[in-house]
Amino acid sequence: MPPHQSRRGIALRESHSFLVGRTAALATVLVLAGCAPHPSTAESELRIQPAAPLPGTTISVAYHPAVGLFPNAGSGVLRARVRTARDPMYAALVPATQTRTVAVMRRVETGWYDGSFTLPPGIVFASLAVEDVRAEQVDDHQGQFWEVLTYTRAGQPSFDALNQRVNDMMGRSWEEAYATARELTELYPDRVTAWTLREFFERALYGEAADSVAAPYQDRIADLIRQAKSRRTVPEDDIGAIFNRAWTRAGQTGSSAADSAELAYWWDRLTREHPRHDQVAQRLAIELRATPRVMLDSLETLYARLAPLRGPGRNVIYVAWQAADRANDVAAYRRWSERAAAGSPDSTFRVALILAQRPAYREEGMADLRALLTAPSDALVPVRPLGWNAPRYESDVAAARARVLGALGRALIASGERRAGLDTLGIAAQRSWDPRLVSEAAAAYI
């Protein structure tokens, strides 16, 4: 009998499903009670308890591998990519420290593996994968991952958990992300952020037909915005969504004086109620006009006031790069490059690649690249992504070292050290399957 068989309320939440009895586009959450079925011979099973965990809950896990996976292994490792309510779209942008081992599961006589982990406060969503202790085999649920969402005390997935599911699906499945955005509007119809997110997906997916698709709920959005206007303060997420919508509409061809007035109204409220909002940083940076030196000084002041920069607020960094380039300011370019990579162990790698490409910063970039050739793996690839086994990670590290060699070779050639550059490019091409490197090496030799 599988472990936990007699316990009620055990649920398997697969990455293509998130709510019992909801839309067919999101397959059913399997609720296991009474006698559990035998595991499929084609797929692994992972079960969690409680089925609807609150933030900070300790979660029990029961895992049964598919036939041929982890034969006779006494333990298995459960890894997760965890998300806070503030994490951005796309898995690659989640901080490296948030992909980690959360439990070591022990094999029991039935062939199942048992383990548990605590969902830390502040974590609202997690994608899960299982691997052996050497990370040579990884079960990523056929590329879908298993999932844990935090729930409310009312027993439904929290707004933040579903929102982060949307973000985690970006780059993996637009259909799942869109379906989850639709679910947000069903479960949280009073949140304007849910409707504007759905509106974003429908504009992206349906193009010119988006207006007709979104027409049924436009009055709902307008009503929520009217309600927001009557409140003394508006929550940070909601006011950001409303402002961004007003900004987009005011910038469209054929916008009216009413659109401009709406933008001015929400800009005034945003800067008064949430002066450190990401959207404030974005707009101030985009609309900054001055000489490069004055812009750099203004952006330093802006950074001191609004850091850490997240999401759209990172436009401050992009504008600063342009200003540093025009001012030919090596120190400023490096400083802003390091800020762009802040919080990532691979910051030196990314900054070095940036600097080595630009004539004014080439010598500093080359020094950084040489140091990276003997640096540890996590300086190049900060974390093994969820679902990757150890050999694939080491292959990625090797490819990153080849990129370092390729960048160094190009920089040497550009600085006049042609023979050294050609040799370095040749070594890089030998160590990588990157067609661009091979092509560049061939072109350089010719």
Side-chain angles (χ1 to χ4, degrees):
M1 182 177 294
H4 310 308
Q5 176 173 303
S6 63
R7 303 176 191 174
R8 296 179 60 82
I10 301 171
L12 167 62
R13 177 174 293 277
E14 298 186 354
S15 66
H16 59 275
S17 62
F18 64 87
L19 190 64
V20 174
R22 291 293 171 178
T23 59
L26 304 173
T28 308
V29 173
L30 177 61
V31 178
L32 302 168
C35 292
H38 292 294
S40 165
T41 57
E43 293 186 5
S44 305
E45 289 191 43
L46 189 144
R47 305 171 181 178
I48 68 168
Q49 184 187 15
L54 298 172
T57 298
T58 295
I59 295 172
S60 297
V61 179
Y63 168 75
H64 194 288
V67 174
L69 266 179
F70 318 131
N72 303 317
S75 61
V77 176
L78 185 67
R79 291 183 83 224
R81 179 174 61 245
V82 298
R83 283 180 167 270
T84 70
R86 295 298 303 272
D87 285 323
M89 288 182 170
Y90 298 98
L93 298 180
V94 175
T97 55
Q98 290 174 214
T99 299
R100 54 181 181 259
T101 296
V102 293
V104 175
M105 301 180 295
R106 303 299 177 188
R107 191 174 188 272
V108 294
E109 291 182 359
T110 58
W112 288 72
Y113 291 78
D114 270 355
S116 66
F117 66 96
T118 299
L119 207 59
I123 298 301
V124 299
F125 177 87
S127 296
L128 305 174
V130 181
E131 61 191 34
D132 65 275
V133 293
R134 293 186 177 181
E136 293 175 347
Q137 280 188 302
V138 178
D139 185 354
D140 62 2
H141 196 40
Q142 299 183 355
Q144 299 174 31
F145 305 118
W146 290 278
E147 297 178 357
V148 175
L149 288 83
T150 56
Y151 278 65
T152 67
R153 294 192 180 278
Q156 68 183 29
S158 70
F159 180 92
D160 289 335
L162 287 174
N163 189 49
Q164 286 302 318
R165 187 178 193 270
V166 172
N167 290 347
D168 207 68
M169 284 294 168
M170 293 300 288
R172 294 200 287 135
S173 172
W174 269 76
E175 293 82 1
E176 283 295 305
Y178 171 47
T180 309
R182 289 177 60 92
E183 192 69 18
L184 271 171
T185 61
E186 294 177 22
L187 292 178
Y188 297 93
D190 294 332
R191 291 291 300 270
V192 68
T193 310
W195 292 104
T196 56
L197 182 63
R198 177 172 171 173
E199 188 178 47
F200 158 77
F201 275 102
E202 288 174 351
R203 290 194 180 282
L205 292 170
Y206 296 116
E208 294 181 359
D211 287 341
S212 59
V213 174
Y217 60 79
Q218 291 304 301
D219 288 345
R220 180 63 175 162
I221 294 179
D223 184 54
L224 290 172
I225 292 175
R226 279 193 296 270
Q227 292 177 36
K229 284 184 176 181
S230 68
R231 299 192 191 108
R232 180 170 296 180
T233 60
V234 181
E236 184 177 9
D237 287 348
D238 288 343
I239 198 170
I242 294 170
F243 169 75
N244 187 62
R245 188 172 188 267
W247 193 9
T248 300
R249 286 176 168 243
Q252 289 176 341
T253 302
S255 62
S256 65
D259 293 325
S260 298
E262 187 77 355
L263 174 61
Y265 173 85
W266 285 111
W267 175 247
D268 177 66
R269 288 199 62 171
L270 181 65
T271 53
R272 282 190 290 107
E273 296 174 26
H274 301 283
R276 293 173 55 84
H277 198 282
D278 298 340
Q279 297 279 3
V280 172
Q282 180 185 32
R283 191 181 190 198
L284 289 175
I286 288 174
E287 297 188 351
L288 186 61
R289 298 289 183 270
T291 64
R293 177 51 53 196
V294 171
M295 284 185 68
L296 285 171
D297 291 342
S298 299
L299 290 164
E300 286 292 336
T301 302
L302 200 60
Y303 182 82
R305 178 159 65 92
L306 299 175
L309 302 172
R310 301 185 183 92
R314 290 175 67 84
N315 272 280
V316 174
I317 293 171
Y318 308 140
V319 173
W321 272 336
Q322 294 170 5
D325 244 344
R326 292 198 298 270
N328 200 27
D329 189 330
V330 179
Y333 201 98
R334 174 181 284 278
R335 184 166 63 251
W336 284 101
S337 296
E338 289 170 350
R339 288 168 177 171
S344 299
D346 68 340
S347 60
T348 303
F349 172 52
R350 293 159 65 186
V351 171
L353 292 178
I354 291 168
L355 296 179
Q357 293 173 11
R358 288 162 170 76
Y361 321 135
R362 187 173 292 130
E363 289 301 320
E364 288 196 9
M366 288 167 64
D368 288 350
L369 291 171
R370 290 188 175 99
L372 282 169
L373 292 175
T374 56
S377 296
D378 63 3
L380 297 161
V381 184
V383 68
R384 178 165 54 88
L386 192 68
W388 285 26
N389 62 12
R392 183 176 178 184
Y393 172 72
E394 291 304 326
S395 175
D396 205 49
V397 171
R401 292 197 193 282
R403 284 185 65 194
V404 170
L405 282 166
L408 181 58
R410 289 190 293 273
L412 285 166
I413 292 171
S415 62
E417 299 181 59
R418 184 172 301 174
R419 173 50 54 192
L422 288 171
D423 290 346
T424 305
L425 264 180
I427 295 170
Q430 291 171 13
R431 296 184 181 183
S432 173
W433 287 99
D434 184 348
R436 184 180 60 179
L437 266 178
V438 175
S439 176
E440 286 179 350
Y445 273 103
I446 291 171

